[in-house]
Amino acid sequence: MLVGGILGYVFREKVHDTMEQEMQASIRMYGQKRAVTRAWDATQETLMCCGVNSFQDWGDQLPDSCCIEEEGKKLPCRYESQNIYPEGCLMLTEMFVKDHAEIIGAAGIITACLLLLGMIFSCALFKSIE
């Protein structure tokens, strides 16, 4: 965990490029792998975005999760329609991660502390058994 945190800090500049590559690769698996389809749909609906950089990343298979929702109902959308989320998900995802970085970091530190505490107690138990 500690090594992962250090690597995350050292390579934080490469996060954008890596994230973009992975998102572009996963778009090709949309509709083929259920987990990928669910992840994209949830991301696009939650962040109100479409595609990696724009809706054009989807080519000719624009998913319903790109369509704007009003009053709990999805509006019909096509490429020429104004009912498509205009922003891509890459920048919004990066902003989401940056906004929640403290929570993510705190969760990592707490988990590492709990693991260390578990090791200390297991060593103490081992010593008391001897």
Side-chain angles (χ1 to χ4, degrees), residues 3-56:
V3 171
I6 292 170
L7 288 174
Y9 178 77
V10 170
F11 293 111
R12 68 187 180 282
E13 310 300 328
K14 294 185 178 186
V15 169
H16 174 83
D17 296 335
T18 304
M19 211 163 161
E20 184 175 18
Q21 289 172 356
E22 291 301 319
M23 288 175 89
Q24 290 286 2
S26 68
I27 276 183
R28 289 184 225 114
M29 292 183 277
Y30 185 88
Q32 298 171 1
K33 292 191 175 186
R34 188 171 160 191
V36 172
T37 303
R38 286 176 141 178
W40 267 109
D41 287 343
T43 300
Q44 292 179 146
E45 290 171 352
T46 303
L47 298 178
M48 294 184 216
C49 58
C50 185
V52 178
N53 297 303
S54 75
F55 67 90
Q56 295 172 337

Side-chain angles (χ1 to χ4, degrees), residues 38-103:
R38 286 176 141 178
W40 267 109
D41 287 343
T43 300
Q44 292 179 146
E45 290 171 352
T46 303
L47 298 178
M48 294 184 216
C49 58
C50 185
V52 178
N53 297 303
S54 75
F55 67 90
Q56 295 172 337
D57 294 327
W58 287 106
D60 60 349
Q61 63 168 2
L62 187 67
D64 289 338
S65 57
C66 279
C67 303
I68 293 174
E69 187 173 318
E70 281 185 3
E71 300 174 10
K73 190 177 180 182
K74 289 277 183 190
L75 298 175
C77 65
R78 292 184 252 32
Y79 280 105
E80 65 276 354
S81 169
Q82 295 296 322
N83 298 335
I84 300 172
Y85 293 124
E87 293 187 64
C89 295
L90 179 61
M91 290 299 171
L92 293 174
T93 304
E94 284 180 5
M95 288 187 330
F96 181 84
V97 169
K98 285 178 185 176
D99 290 346
H100 296 87
E102 291 174 355
I103 295 169

